Amino acid sequence: MVNNRTNKDIDVLIVGAGIAGASLAANLAKTGKNIVVVERDLSERDVIIGELLQPGGVQKLEEMGFSSFINDIDAQPVYGYDIIYEERDYVIPYPNKNGEPCGYGFRNGAFLQNIRKHILAQPNIRVIEGTVTELIEANEAITGVRYKLKGATDEESLYAHLTIVTDGPLSIFREKLSKPVKQVNGFFLGLLMKDCEMPFANHGHLVMGDHPPMVIYPVTSTSWRVLIDFKGEKPPRLGKDIRQSLLEKFENAIPQSARPAFVAAVEKGKFKTFPNHRLPASPVNKAGAVLLGDALNMRHPLTGGGMTAAFNDVLRLSNNLEKVKDFSNKRQLTKAIKNFYEKRHLGTQTTNILADGLYGVVYNADLRNAFFEYVSRGDKYAEETCSILAGLNKDKKLLLNHFIGMARYGTQLKISSEKKSVVVTESITMVKDAVGIITPLLLSEKPDPGNKLMLEALNRIV
Ligand SMILES: Cc1cc2nc3c(=O)[nH]c(=O)nc-3n(C[C@H](O)[C@H](O)[C@H](O)COP(=O)(O)OP(=O)(O)OC[C@H]3O[C@@H](n4cnc5c(N)ncnc54)[C@H](O)[C@@H]3O)c2cc1C
């Protein structure tokens, strides 16, 4: 039971102790603010989401002083990606010339429990296990929440100077705090391969070909997560035919050394599926509230960028809020939040554009081939692309240059390998397709100086 006396003193109320909410509580607690977190289920979750943290996300954890969240969970260092394309492959290491961190693969539930353990131990954070049912609004501002304690039937209220909503990908509150245009691109079906070897230990593997894409990465010292894409708005049917269909479509695409483990995982049949969304951020400024994490912004998980985007946001928002000494000062609080919404894209836009851009590429036979040939050139073609994937390099212009450069390179290869007159139209289509994929992604991010020039340049290409 929460009484009115404690209630009055709450600076920050966080809805959801997932990746964004729990890490934000941990970071904000350093300012001494009085924080309450309401999470509907504090037990360790068993999910297929958020199991590869890119180096850029690890870097943000380090900046917040939270590297230890990765300890003692059998997390596996990840040093780069192996791109497997039909019968060939090419390995791209993450950048590490300047002491950049590596990435990590882990079970998301175990990682999250480490963050939750930390917040449960903070004297100025109170964690309540309960479900938030409503955001309380008065005079055009959010003033708190209604919630039900776990197992209780009656609702209670909590009031705070600031309510931060991080209720995840299936958020029920985002409509109140943004103008969302959410799209389901497809579903990932996840399974775990046990006790096997992949071509490169401690690497992510992107498997592309004449089949839907798969991503595979280590999540413990003895298991690899396999995520298989099912395009479309409906989840894959997990009926009696699914095992046969998975083996027919994907067994031969899995590297030889891991095939027995893949077959065993399929036969075991413990499949989990989850929708893959695209949700450009479109927050509305509402006094007393902030929307964060997947509730605010989502991109395709093909590149494993969600947690990195969330940690970028957590750090930026905390830095802004840190400057507000007294949260009852509404004007200062509103200014800090507005500034966060204005600038957050600088930390997340390349992660978003690359994720959805690459998803478009892997489903286009010509561009898929062009992408593999382009990164196989090594040098900056592989390194710079990988630094953006890693979440370490946030240069949007560089991303666009590589994206269009890849399509141009594919075009050149096609012209030189076939009869010119036959392929010219298709080759032009390849560049046009690339522009067609990247333009709406660019447009859905908040514009910054240079955006107009980039869009004009893209228009000139086609
Ligand atoms: C299939 C898939 C694979 C992915 N793989 C990766 C990956 O490898 N790497 C990566 O970086 N990202 C990945 N992501 C994205 C990543 O998982 C998310 O970006 C990240 O988890 C978002 O964190 P969040 O805090 O917003 O949401 P969550 O971590 O989902 O947390 C939301 C929390 O809110 C709680 N909650 C919800 N409603 C209420 C309520 N009414 N009251 C109280 N509590 C509530 C939930 O119980 C939960 O704890 C993947 C996504 C998908 C779909």
Side-chain angles (χ1 to χ4, degrees):
M1 178 67 93
V2 179
N3 63 35
N4 282 333
R5 189 180 55 79
T6 40
N7 223 337
K8 224 168 39 183
D9 304 330
I10 302 172
D11 291 308
V12 185
L13 200 164
I14 299 177
V15 179
I19 295 297
S23 58
L24 180 72
N27 205 37
L28 279 181
K30 293 188 280 187
T31 63
K33 292 280 183 288
N34 187 9
I35 300 167
V36 172
V37 179
V38 187
E39 164 57 48
R40 68 179 168 201
D41 185 359
L42 285 170
S43 63
E44 182 167 330
R45 63 190 190 185
D46 178 12
V47 289
I48 61 168
I49 65 164
E51 293 186 305
L52 174 65
L53 181 59
Q54 294 290 356
V58 177
Q59 195 177 53
K60 292 295 154 198
L61 274 187
E62 282 175 3
E63 281 178 40
M64 292 189 272
F66 295 144
S67 312
S68 63
F69 291 166
I70 300 169
N71 294 348
D72 305 321
I73 52 170
D74 197 18
Q76 300 301 300
V78 174
Y79 299 115
Y81 265 81
D82 185 28
I83 313 286
I84 301 177
Y85 174 54
E86 295 173 348
E87 302 292 297
R88 302 152 64 196
D89 73 333
Y90 189 82
V91 185
I92 317 176
Y94 285 137
N96 65 358
K97 283 189 198 123
N98 303 312
E100 295 93 339
C102 63
Y104 281 92
F106 42 61
R107 292 309 317 271
N108 178 281
F111 175 60
L112 182 56
Q113 287 312 91
N114 268 358
I115 313 179
R116 287 175 174 175
K117 244 181 266 163
H118 176 90
I119 63 172
L120 280 160
Q122 303 310 304
N124 54 335
I125 302 182
R126 191 152 43 105
V127 181
I128 297 172
E129 194 165 29
T131 299
V132 174
T133 52
E134 192 186 333
L135 301 182
I136 302 172
E137 198 169 347
N139 303 324
E140 305 281 303
I142 301 296
T143 54
V145 302
R146 306 263 308 150
Y147 74 102
K148 273 186 198 162
L149 270 179
K150 192 173 184 182
T153 43
D154 291 343
E155 284 190 341
E156 302 192 34
S157 302
L158 282 168
Y159 296 92
H161 294 306
L162 177 63
T163 300
I164 302 180
V165 176
T166 64
D167 60 340
L170 308 177
S171 169
I172 54 167
F173 298 119
R174 63 164 63 98
E175 301 275 345
K176 272 213 152 201
L177 302 175
S178 68
K179 293 183 181 147
V181 182
K182 187 168 63 114
Q183 182 184 323
V184 175
N185 283 323
F187 288 73
F188 262 158
L189 178 144
L191 42 87
L192 266 188
M193 295 194 303
K194 296 256 171 84
D195 300 314
C196 66
E197 282 182 12
M198 284 291 287
F200 289 87
N202 298 100
H203 278 68
H205 294 71
L206 169 63
V207 187
M208 312 182 297
D210 195 13
H211 54 76
M214 292 184 271
V215 280
I216 305 176
Y217 37 76
V219 290
T220 69
S221 47
T222 55
S223 56
W224 293 81
R225 167 65 68 208
V226 183
L227 294 174
I228 304 176
D229 190 56
F230 284 77
K231 213 172 168 52
E233 287 181 14
K234 295 225 169 86
R237 292 163 66 108
L238 300 180
K240 60 180 170 34
D241 299 334
I242 185 76
R243 287 190 172 92
Q244 190 60 28
S245 146
L246 286 173
L247 293 177
E248 275 168 16
K249 274 197 204 144
F250 299 103
E251 185 184 345
N252 288 339
I254 296 280
Q256 195 108 39
S257 59
R259 273 184 211 162
F262 179 76
V263 173
V266 169
E267 277 164 5
K268 201 170 176 190
K270 281 197 164 175
F271 309 122
K272 280 182 184 286
T273 61
F274 205 89
N276 297 329
H277 297 97
R278 175 169 142 69
L279 173 72
S282 54
V284 292
N285 291 309
K286 183 81 153 174
V290 184
L291 190 63
L292 201 70
D294 275 13
L296 171 69
N297 186 199
M298 292 187 277
R299 74 295 305 151
H300 200 281
L302 186 70
T303 51
M307 294 187 294
T308 297
F311 291 147
N312 267 280
D313 275 351
V314 163
L315 189 54
R316 188 177 292 272
L317 178 61
S318 324
N319 287 345
N320 279 11
L321 292 178
E322 204 176 295
K323 293 175 197 143
V324 184
K325 296 293 167 236
D326 176 3
F327 275 24
S328 67
N329 185 330
K330 299 261 174 290
R331 205 177 56 83
Q332 274 190 25
L333 204 52
T334 303
K335 198 171 148 206
I337 294 164
K338 206 167 162 218
N339 182 277
F340 164 70
Y341 283 148
E342 286 292 320
K343 299 273 172 63
R344 64 168 290 278
H345 67 289
L346 298 174
T348 55
Q349 61 185 353
T350 42
T351 297
N352 291 345
I353 295 172
L354 180 67
D356 289 311
L358 190 59
Y359 188 63
V361 165
V362 293
Y363 273 103
N364 178 311
D366 275 342
L367 286 176
R368 188 165 66 223
N369 185 63
F371 169 65
F372 182 77
E373 297 297 346
Y374 188 75
V375 293
S376 304
R377 296 166 86 186
D379 199 14
K380 65 176 183 183
Y381 308 103
E383 284 166 21
E384 289 179 358
T385 312
C386 195
S387 68
I388 297 168
L389 173 91
L392 293 165
N393 188 329
K394 311 274 174 64
D395 186 340
K396 186 164 66 176
K397 195 158 169 246
L398 189 74
L399 169 58
L400 292 186
N401 283 344
H402 279 302
F403 205 80
I404 301 305
M406 166 205 60
R408 285 199 161 127
Y409 185 66
T411 303
Q412 276 171 21
L413 287 182
K414 209 163 180 183
I415 290 173
S416 57
S417 70
E418 295 178 39
K419 278 193 205 136
K420 209 171 176 173
S421 57
V422 179
V423 292
V424 155
T425 327
E426 277 179 57
S427 301
I428 288 170
T429 307
M430 209 189 295
V431 176
K432 206 173 168 186
D433 284 354
V435 173
I437 291 171
I438 203 101
T439 304
L441 302 180
L442 187 60
L443 281 170
S444 65
E445 294 294 331
K446 210 168 178 57
D448 44 33
N451 242 42
K452 199 162 161 255
L453 290 176
M454 286 181 211
L455 283 164
E456 281 168 9
L458 287 177
N459 270 334
R460 274 199 302 276
I461 292 173
V462 292

